[in-house]
Structure formats: C-alpha cells, structure tokens
C-alpha cells in the first residue's frame, strides 16, 4: 500500500455496501478502511487517522450522527454522511453533527468519487504551505502559513471545510462572496444550489469564531447576495 | 426544867452551919445540896442544876477561894444566882463579888431570915429568868420556823433588824437585803398611811398591838397582800425600842375576797337578771334587772319558781354542779346559769341575754355557710359594684375560670373580662336587673390568656346597707358550647349529607334504586331510573325488577343477591337490562345493604355503560386502525429501505462498471455482476411478497395444488437455503414413509424459506437449524427449530400480523418487511393447515405448520 495514498474509512452496517465501495475506491486509487457500526468508526478514526470518512447515517450500536459528533471531538477529518433518506432533516442533522458533506443513497460511482475528491482537495488546500501574510481584522487572525485561526489571541480549532470556508471570505475580504461561489470553491462541482450546505457549515463556523452569533462581528450576511468579511 | 422545888447549893466548910442551913432551907421548902470544898461545890454542877448557891467566901479548906467558886459557878451555870456569906468583909472582896454579879452579900453574923429572904428572891429571879429564857427560846423557834413572816423592827426607824425566812419568801428579798431596808420602803403607798398611823399609836402606848392588812411590793415588782400584826417587844408600858411584825400572805384570800365582793356587788348592779332560789325552788331574791322577768316567768319572791326552773335548781343543788338552761323572755333569749351553793342551801341563778349573741351566732353561721358556698362553689361567684364595675369580692373559682390569681382578679373591673357586650346591651341588662332584681344570660368572658370563654351568668341585685350591689354567679360553658356546636355541626353535616344524598339520589345520572330485601319490592327510584329504564316512578314503585321484566337474564338476580348477602355489598357487576322499549343496555351495578325504617333494604346504583361500551369498542377499533397505520407507515419506510439497498448497490456497481478510467480488476468486475444479479433477485422477492400479501389480504392467494410427497419439497427447500446460508448447520429429519398431500410445492417452499430465513436471522452463527416432518393422525407436522434466544411470549401472538417485526434493540433495522410469517400463515391456511409457534421460552424458537394428509388414491 502506497503510504501517500489518501485513505478512506468506509462505515456501513450493510456489508454489501462496504464491499462494493471498497472495490470502487480501491480501483479509484484510494486506500480503504472499513467499519460496520458507529463505535468501530470512532475507534478506527482515532487509531487509523483516515484522510476521509464515509459514514452511513443509520447504523446499529452507535448511529452515524452520534459517531460524527464524537469523531469531531478529536478530528478535523472531512466526513461525508451516507444517508438512505433524502429528507432535509437527515441532512441537517448530519451537518450539525459536524459532517462536511453528504451523499444520498442511491448514488453513482461518479458522485461518490467526486465527493471524495472534493473533500480531499479541501484537506490538501489546508495542508498547502503559503507565503501569504496573515489576515488580521477586528481580533480575527488567519495565519495562512500555519493554517491556524485566532480570535482575540485565542486559537480556534476548525475543520478543513470550515477553514477553507473562512479563507474564501478572508481572501476576498471587503467583498461579498456569493453562496454559489462558496459552494463551487469549497465543495466543488455537484453541489449546485445546495445553499443549505453552506448555511449549515457557516453556522458551525460562526459558532466557533463569533463571540455572539446573533450579532456577528466577523462574518456578515448580505441577504440574497452572500457573505463577507470586512477588511 | 420542870422542877417545882427550888434547889440550893450550900458551900461552907463549917459542917454544923451546913446542917443548920440545910434544915432551915428544907423547912422553908427548898431542896439543898451541901459542899464543904470549892471543888466539891463545882462538881455538884455536873449532876444538878441549882437555882441559887449560898457560898461561904472563906472556906477552911482553901482549895479555891470563894470568889473562884463564884466565877466557876457563873461559868457553869450563869443563871444560878449566888449569895455570898463572909466572916469578914473587905472592900476588895465586896467589889469583886459585885463585879462577879452576886445576888446577895451577907456578913457574919447574919440574920438567917434575911439570908432566907435573899435566897427566896434569888430563886424567884432565876425562875423569872428561866421563864424569860424559855419564852425567848420559844419566840426564837417561832421566829425562825413560823409559817408566818416574822420580823424584828426598830421602832424608831422602821428598820428591819431580823427577819425570818418566811418573811423573806413573802417579800421576795434575801435576809441580808431585808436587814438593809425599812418597812416603809416596801409597803404599798396606799397602805402606808394606815400602817404609820397605827405605829404612832403603838409608840404612844395607846395601843399594845395592831393588825392591818396591807400590801408589800415584792422584789419582783408585784404586790403581795399580807395580814400584819405589830406588837412591841418586852416593855409593856413604855414606848418600845423594837417591835415585832408578823405578816401572813393573804393574796389568795384577798383575791377570793375581791371576787366575793364583786359577786356580792354583781347581783344588784348586773344588767342581767340574778336570782337566788332556795334548794327547794323558792325564789329568795331577784335583782333589778330580773324584775322584768317576774311577770313573764310568773315569779314572786317567796314563791316557787316555774317547774322547769325549779327542777333545774333542785337537781343542780343536789348534784352540786352548775347547770345552764335557755329561757325566752318576749323576743329575748336568756341563758340561765345555775350556780349551786350547797352549804347555803340555795343556788344563784345568773341570767344572760343572749338574744343578740344568738343572732350574731346565727349570722356568723350563715356567714360561714355562705363563705363555704362562696369559696367552694364550682361556679365563679363575685360581688361587684354596678356603678363602677369594680369587683368587690370574688371567689377563687371566678379567678381560676379566667386564669387569674385571686389577687389579680380582685383588681379587675367587669369591663376587663366581659367582651361580648355592646354598651347598649350592658345598659339594658343593668336596667333589667334593677327592675326585676335578677337576670341570667350567656355572654363571653376574656380569660387572662386572651382566650374567649362562653359563660352563663346569673345576676342578682343585692341590697347591702345603702348600696345596691350586683351578685353574679357564672359558669364556664365553653366546653358545653363547644360540644353543642359540635353536635349542631354534626347534625348540620348529617342534614346536609341527607340533603346531598337526596340530591344525589334524584339528580344522579346513575340509576339509584332502593328495594326491600325480603320481597325485592322497589321502595324508591330516582329520575335516572325513569330515564334509563323507561318506566315511570309510579310504575316502578311496589313492583320488582323482575316484575318489570328488566332482567335480560333473570338468573342474574339470584347471583347478584347471593353475592350481596355474602359480601355485604356488590361492586361493579356488569349486568344486562332490558328497558321498557325493549332495548338491551349494559350496566354496571353496585349495591349495599342498608337499613331503612327498620327493614333491610338494598341500595343499588346502576350505571348505564352501553354508550361507554360502544365508545370503548370504537376506541379499540380506532387503536387498531392507528396501529395499522403506524405499521403501514413503518412498512413504507421498510419497503423503501429494502428496495433502496439493492437498488443503491446495483446503481453504484453498474456505474462503477461503466466508469471510464476506473480500472476494476477482473475479479471485482465478476463479483459486481454476480452481486447485481443477486440484488435484482432480492428485489424480485420483495415485489413477490408485496403481491402475495396483497392477494392474501383480498383472499386471492391462488394455489397450484398437486399431489406430492412433502419430503421432496422439504429437501429441495433446505438444499436451496443451505446454498445461501453458510453460517448455520441445517439438519433435515424426515420419516422413511411418504408424506403425501395435495399441495402447491413452490408455496410450501416459500413457507419453509421464510421460516428458515427467520431462524437464521434470529439465531447465532454456527448453531443448528433443524427441520422435522412427521405424520400425526391425519396431518403432516412440519417444524423448524433454531437454537436462538427464542421469541418472547409478548411477541408470540403478534409476529403473525402483517408488517410486524420483532424489535431488536441492537439493530438499527431488521432486514425484511415483516411479511414472511404473515404470508406463510396465509399459505398454510390456504392448504387447510395451521401455522404456530411453540411456547418454548429460552430454548430457541420452534415454528410448526401442518398440512392435511392426503393419501394418494391407489
């Protein structure tokens, strides 16, 4: 196994899914790990430190949402929730639990690979070295070189997606960035129109960096247009 | 010394003279003793007492001189008078002799007659002296030992020279003290004058002695009455130097005398009657105060007193004891005190007006009685001044009832403890008391603690001297009041409860009836009875439930009555009644045995629950519908899951196969194709099941029946299942004989597949699943048993329901739609058999189905 290959943790209680996804991702050039319930997923995420996690929402022992919440306590690894139901409530639940993206069953191999690649891109984006000088405004500081975020001198831990989202705004500081642009740049193709995805992750980001989410200091909403951060 | 004959000692050395002298003296009536020498003469004094001695001064023997003899005699017997005779006389010897106190001195020759005369005189003198001495001795003895006080007093000064012991005792001074005092000092001033006057007379010689009664002051300060007799000493006619005072203590006598005097004085001056009645009952004397009684008591001096009095006097005198009797005189009452004076032969009667004292005593007794009543009354009693409201007097109970000490209470006014009264009411009451003299009422008193007590008060106006006081008695009736109010409250409660009962009885939506136990006749029915049962009250009364044909099942009555008698009551018995209109209603009966007007009755309440029952049925049906709805909604979720999984797998695999640039190896590609086929079959089964359940529901489960040996069908089914489940060991136990039946082999296979699926799903990997078949009378018995945990009894019934699936807490969902058992049961039943699960908790589950045996017709 090539040590540089990104490794995907596939979590599903249906072995037929695990088998087929493993075969497909291997063929796509990824390393794979698998788990058949939430508890195993949390354990595997901690021990194996996968690059990306595909997490089925409905599982015995510990369901996908709870597993996601627990993984988020120690890991920023991008999590893509797999859900059999396309109801909004399930998607929202996943995003609020800390997932970065979701895939509704049934999905095609193309969809699967695109999401995994997008997630991987966000990771590599964050991991990339930069010589940019840090962004600093109103107590918010983004250290691009160190991939670190500070609010009033206090370091804030963000997921890759959250960090990517924040950087989209700080790099365009002083300008309004549309939801479409954010979706395209942060989640990549295939998310067109999924404003909810942006909104949920934005909420998560705001709850981490804003002292008062009801009166945002840093990320301002421009209804109908998008979001912006002041210079 | 009682010698009558004087004895004379003659001392002379001349014996002739002696003899002559002796004879002469003898003749003259004297006794003489002679002595010739001086010593012999003195020696005679050893044996004799001599009245006189004739001594020859010059004795021939000259043993001792005549003068020595003289002094020797004087020494031996000073009272013996000595007469000297001498032959020669010298001046010296004469002087010496006189100095020695000789009685006579004769010179020889002497005249015998002269000598004899001198002797005579000497004897007389001595006799006198002797007598004097005796008198003195007697005086002395008397003086010292007298029972009376005797004192020698110096007449001129009144000083006590000598006093005897008795005197000392009388006046209380010691002898030494007495001898320093004069009589004037200790004499009572009132008596001194008389005393001194008598003394003057005595000194003047006008009286020889006097006796007076006078008082001395004793040393202790009290007076002592004495009888004093004073007489001068010795000299008869001359003023005396000394006198003798003899005193006798007469205090006791004096006191007695005083009493006597008083007594003597009393009768005349007494304001009370004094009578003297003779021993035989004749009135001898009556004083002034008694005169008034004469007429009343029919008394006359010199006549017999009344028989009553006479009797009393006679008895009193005879017995010598005093007696008292009471006699009335008009409105006055006298106590007569009879004092007998036996010696005098009469009795003194002292009357005493005791009318007042009687009244006083009666009053005192009344007062005492009142006091007792007052103090020990169980009621509070008090006397108060209605003007000021001040308490004049109150008994202990009055204070106690209100929690005060008697002292505290006495300082209160009515207004301090009376609370309930308005001023007008108080004024009205005061007027009433003044008008009618008394009143009684209930009021409230405030105790010291502030507690309000109910009291009943009796008040009476009381005229005392000039004032009208109020005398009130009060009784604490708080407890009684409380008891009364409790009783009233209890009665009120009872009344209310009765009212309530009547209301409840009449207005109760529940039918309430009262019937007599002995003949079941209805005594009372309420309005609801009329409404529910359709009979009017008039129709119902005096009839019975049976008579009204109310029982749907008349036997019910017996059961209910015997139940009621056995337990004393009935609770919630469901009974069917037929109303007047013929409608059958369901009721719940409760009944109690009660006593009404002395008769045992049954109080029954009958609640019509027909509507409720109907509602319950509707509710249950609704519940079932809801459950169905829930199951259906679950089912749709399950269907979507069951369909999505194979579809999702097929989609991802197919798109993987088709994706350019995705280098799937050959093995993966084959595996994907195989999986796609499997998933497609799975979809097929789901669709079949859905169709089957739909058919079964509509009763259109079509069977392709054909004569077959069930063993073959089972073998095929097990073999097929074994091929897909490698996790369990499958055992097939078939009999050697054929199990012929008419059956749809594919359907029976479907049943078996479902049962095996379940067994596999609910039992651990590696355990055995056993399929057995046998003939049992006219059916074929097929069982599928596993070694899993078995089916909980609570689930056993429901597992055959459509869509029902056993909930596994450890599983997010259970594969399958929950249609298998339901479809299987429908298939078995369509074959004329039955499908059930054995009751074998904790031992794995055993599903059994039967198929009717149908031997092939030969």
């Amino acid at each position: 196994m090539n040590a540089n290959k990104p490794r995907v943790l596939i979590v599903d209680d249906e072995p037929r899914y695990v088998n087929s996804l493993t075969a497909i991702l291997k063929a796509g050039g990824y390393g794979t790990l698998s788990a058949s319930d939430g508890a195993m997923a949390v354990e595997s995420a901690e021990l194996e430190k996968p690059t990306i996690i595909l997490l089925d929402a409905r599982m015995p022992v510990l369901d996908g949402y709870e597993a996601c919440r627990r993984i988020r306590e120690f890991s920023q690894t991008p999590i893509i929730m797999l859900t059999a139901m396309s109801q909004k409530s399930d998607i929202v639940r996943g995003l609020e639990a800390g997932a970065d993206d979701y895939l509704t069953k049934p999905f095609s191999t193309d969809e699967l690979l695109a999401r995994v690649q997008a997630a991987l891109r966000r990771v590599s984006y964050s991991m990339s070295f930069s010589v940019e000088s840090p962004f600093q405004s109103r107590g918010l500081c983004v250290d691009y070189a160190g991939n670190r975020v500070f609010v009033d001198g206090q370091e804030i831990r963000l997921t890759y997606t959250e960090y990517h989202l924040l950087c989209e705004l700080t790099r365009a500081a002083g300008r309004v960035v549309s939801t479409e642009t954010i979706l395209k740049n942060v989640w990549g193709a295939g998310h067109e129109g999924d404003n909810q995805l942006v909104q949920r992750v934005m909420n998560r980001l705001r709850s981490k960096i804003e002292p008062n989410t009801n009166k945002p200091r840093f990320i301002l909403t421009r209804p109908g247009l998008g979001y912006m951060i002041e210079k | 010394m009682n010698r009558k004959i004087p004895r004379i000692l003659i001392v002379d050395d001349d014996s002739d003279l002696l003899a002559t002298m002796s004879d002469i003296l003898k003749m003259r009536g004297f006794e003489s003793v002679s002595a010739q020498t001086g010593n012999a003469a003195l020696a005679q004094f050893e044996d004799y007492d001599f009245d006189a001695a004739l001594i020859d001064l010059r004795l021939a023997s000259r043993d001792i001189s005549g003068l020595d003899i003289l002094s020797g005699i004087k020494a031996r017997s000073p009272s013996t008078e000595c007469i000297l005779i001498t032959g020669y006389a010298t001046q010296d010897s004469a002087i010496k002799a006189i100095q020695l106190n000789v009685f006579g001195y004769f010179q020889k020759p002497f005249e015998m007659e002269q000598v004899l005369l001198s002797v005579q005189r000497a004897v007389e003198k001595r006799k006198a002296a002797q007598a004097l001495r005796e008198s003195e001795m007697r005086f002395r003895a008397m003086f010292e030992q007298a029972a009376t006080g005797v004192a020698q007093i110096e007449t001129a000064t009144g000083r006590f020279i000598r006093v005897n012991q008795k005197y000392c005792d009388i006046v209380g001074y010691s002898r030494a003290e007495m001898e320093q005092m004069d009589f004037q000092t200790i004499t009572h001033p009132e008596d001194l004058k008389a005393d001194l006057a008598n003394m003057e007379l005595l000194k003047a010689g006008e009286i020889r002695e006097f006796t007076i009664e006078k008082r001395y002051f004793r040393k202790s300060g009290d007076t002592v009455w004495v009888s004093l007799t004073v007489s001068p000493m010795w000299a008869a006619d001359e003023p005396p130097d000394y006198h003798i005072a003899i005193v006798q203590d007469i205090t006791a006598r004096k006191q007695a005398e005083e009493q006597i005097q008083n007594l003597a004085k009393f009768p005349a001056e007494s304001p009370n009657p004094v009578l003297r009645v003779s021993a035989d009952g004749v009135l001898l004397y009556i004083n002034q105060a008694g005169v008034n009684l004469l007429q009343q008591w029919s008394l006359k001096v010199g006549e017999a007193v009344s028989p009553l009095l006479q009797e009393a006097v006679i008895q009193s005198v005879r017995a010598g004891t005093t007696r008292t009797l009471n006699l009335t005189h008009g409105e006055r009452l006298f106590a007569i005190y009879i004092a007998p004076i036996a010696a005098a032969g009469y009795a003194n009667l002292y009357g005493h007006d005791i009318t007042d004292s009687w009244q006083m005593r009666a009053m005192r007794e009344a007062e005492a009685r009142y006091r007792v009543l007052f103090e020990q009354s169980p009621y509070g009693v008090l006397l108060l001044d209605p003007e000021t409201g001040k308490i004049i007097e109150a008994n202990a109970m009055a204070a106690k009832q209100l929690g005060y000490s008697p002292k505290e209470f006495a300082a209160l006014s009515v207004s301090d403890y009376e609370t309930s009264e308005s001023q007008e009411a108080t004024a009205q009451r005061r007027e009433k008391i003044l008008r009618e003299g008394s009143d009684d009422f209930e009021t409230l008193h405030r105790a010291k603690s502030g507690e309000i007590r109910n009291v009943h008060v009796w008040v009476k106006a009381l005229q005392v001297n000039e004032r009208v006081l109020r005398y009130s008695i009060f009784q604490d009736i708080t407890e009684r009041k409380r008891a009364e109010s409790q009783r009233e409250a209890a009665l009120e409660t009872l009344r209310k409860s009765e009212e309530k009962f009547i209301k409840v009885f009449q207005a109760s939506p529940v039918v309430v009836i009262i019937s007599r136990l002995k003949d079941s006749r209805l005594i009372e029915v309420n309005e609801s009875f009329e409404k529910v049962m359709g009979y009017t009250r008039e129709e119902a009364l005096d009839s019975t439930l049976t008579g009204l044909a109310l029982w749907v099942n008349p036997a019910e009555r017996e059961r209910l009555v015997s139940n009621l008698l056995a337990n004393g009551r009935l609770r919630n018995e469901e009974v069917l009644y037929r109303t007047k209109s013929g409608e059958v209603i369901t009721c719940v009966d409760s009944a109690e045995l009660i006593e009404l007007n002395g008769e045992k009755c049954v109080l029954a309440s009958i609640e019509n629950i027909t509507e409720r029952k109907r509602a319950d049925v509707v509710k249950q049906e609704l519940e079932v519908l809801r459950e169905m709805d829930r199951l259906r909604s679950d089912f749709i979720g399950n269907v979507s899951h069951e369909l999505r999984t194979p579809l999702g797998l097929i989609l991802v695999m197919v798109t993987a196969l088709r994706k350019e640039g995705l280098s799937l190896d050959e093995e993966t590609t084959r595996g994907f194709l195989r999986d796609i086929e499997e998933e497609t079959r799975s979809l097929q089964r789901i669709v079949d099941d859905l169709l089957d359940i739909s058919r079964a529901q509509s009763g259109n489960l079509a069977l392709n029946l054909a004569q077959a040996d069930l063993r073959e069908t089972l073998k095929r089914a097990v073999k097929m299942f074994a091929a897909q489940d490698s996790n369990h060991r499958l055992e097939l136990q078939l009999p050697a004989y054929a199990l012929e039946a008419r059956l749809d082999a594919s359907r029976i296979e479907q049943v078996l597949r479902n049962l095996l699926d379940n067994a596999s799903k609910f039992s651990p990997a590696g355990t055995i699943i056993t399929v057995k078949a046998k003939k049992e009378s006219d059916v074929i018995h097929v069982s599928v048993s596993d070694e899993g945990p078995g089916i909980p009894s609570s689930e056993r019934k429901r597992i055959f329901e459509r869509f029902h699936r056993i909930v596994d807490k450890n599983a997010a969902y259970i594969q399958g739609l929950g249609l298998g058992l339901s479809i299987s049961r429908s298939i078995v039943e369509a074959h004329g058999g039955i499908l059930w699960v054995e009751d074998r908790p904790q031992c794995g589950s055993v599903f059994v189905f039967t198929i009717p045996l149908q031997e092939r017709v030969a």
Side-chain angles (χ1 to χ4, degrees), chain B residues 334-548:
Chain B
F334 290 87
I336 307 293
Y337 174 78
I338 304 170
I341 300 162
Y346 57 77
N348 283 334
L349 280 65
Y350 304 93
H352 215 82
D353 187 337
I354 56 168
T355 317
D356 291 341
S357 62
W358 263 93
Q359 278 174 355
M360 285 302 289
R361 195 160 85 191
M363 274 174 72
R364 267 202 301 277
E365 279 173 13
E367 160 101 7
R369 276 199 296 275
Y370 161 76
R371 277 276 151 208
V372 169
L373 284 175
F374 181 76
E375 289 303 339
Q376 294 175 9
S377 171
Y379 305 125
V381 183
L382 51 87
L383 191 63
L384 51 88
D385 186 340
E387 296 301 318
T388 62
K390 277 278 174 203
I391 292 167
I392 295 166
E393 202 167 7
N395 72 349
M397 185 50 87
K400 192 180 161 194
Q401 277 183 11
L402 296 177
Y404 289 97
S405 72
K407 205 172 166 188
E408 288 172 330
F409 193 66
L412 298 182
S413 295
V414 180
S415 54
D416 290 328
Y417 63 83
E418 228 176 55
T419 71
S420 63
E421 301 290 295
S422 63
Q423 289 203 336
E424 301 96 270
T426 311
Q428 278 175 10
R429 176 154 352 101
R430 189 181 299 164
E431 264 176 45
K432 187 183 174 191
I433 295 163
L434 284 175
R435 195 170 61 245
E436 299 178 8
S438 69
D439 191 11
D440 82 278
F441 53 89
E442 283 180 11
T443 183
L444 298 175
H445 283 179
R446 185 187 289 110
K448 188 186 181 186
S449 62
E451 190 190 353
I452 301 299
R453 311 288 301 180
N454 294 87
V455 287
H456 191 121
V457 184
W458 291 265
V459 183
K460 208 167 177 170
L462 194 67
Q463 181 88 31
V464 174
N465 300 330
E466 296 306 306
R467 291 201 293 175
V468 176
L469 300 180
R470 245 172 69 183
Y471 177 65
S472 47
I473 297 176
F474 61 90
Q475 182 184 10
D476 191 317
I477 54 167
T478 312
E479 294 308 317
R480 199 184 78 200
K481 276 272 175 190
R482 201 169 289 159
E484 273 173 10
S485 71
Q486 276 169 358
R487 201 179 61 226
E488 269 166 30
L491 282 172
E492 179 66 13
T493 308
L494 190 67
R495 202 176 54 72
K496 275 188 184 154
S497 101
E498 235 168 74
E499 250 173 37
K500 219 183 286 168
F501 173 77
I502 291 166
K503 269 187 206 152
V504 166
F505 184 83
Q506 283 305 341
S508 172
V510 173
V511 173
V512 184
I513 60 171
I514 300 173
S515 61
R516 221 152 42 194
L517 183 65
K518 64 175 181 190
D519 55 9
S520 306
R521 293 211 174 273
L522 293 167
I523 295 170
E524 193 55 84
V525 298
N526 68 347
E527 286 165 16
S528 288
F529 177 89
E530 299 182 318
K531 261 184 244 159
V532 172
M533 300 301 184
Y535 293 97
T536 63
R537 185 166 171 275
E538 287 66 35
E539 287 171 320
L541 293 189
D542 268 354
S543 185
T544 63
L545 293 185
T546 310
L548 293 172

Side-chain angles (χ1 to χ4, degrees), chain A residues 152-166:
Chain A
D152 297 331
Q154 206 69 20
E155 184 169 6
I156 306 295
R157 282 165 60 91
L158 299 177
T159 67
Y160 298 118
T161 309
E162 288 156 5
Y163 180 63
H164 198 169
L165 175 58
L166 180 61

Side-chain angles (χ1 to χ4, degrees), chain B residues 53 55 57 66-67 70 82-86 93 97 102 104-107:
Chain B
I55 304 158
L57 198 61
L67 285 175
L70 189 65
C82 295
I83 299 160
L84 290 176
I85 299 166
T86 177
S93 58
V102 296
Y105 191 84
F106 293 95
Q107 269 182 346

Side-chain angles (χ1 to χ4, degrees), chain B residues 12 25 89 182 246 260 350 439 565 586 599 729 843:
Chain B
D12 205 324
L25 286 170
D182 50 33
I246 298 170
I260 290 161
Y350 304 93
D439 191 11
L565 292 177
T586 310
E599 278 191 300
R729 229 170 76 209
C843 287

Side-chain angles (χ1 to χ4, degrees), chain B residues 779-798:
Chain B
V779 295
I780 302 164
H781 221 261
V782 183
S783 70
V784 178
S785 53
D786 63 46
E787 295 177 341
I791 295 163
S793 54
S794 60
E795 293 279 352
R796 237 167 252 155
K797 211 173 164 184
R798 305 193 61 199

Side-chain angles (χ1 to χ4, degrees), chain A residues 14 16-17 60 105-106 109-110, chain B residues 644 652 655-656 659 679 810:
Chain A
E14 178 54 76
R16 291 177 291 173
Y17 254 112
K105 287 178 181 176
T109 298
D110 294 323
Chain B
R644 261 174 210 274
V652 77
T655 50
K659 182 152 178 78
E679 296 302 333
N810 292 323

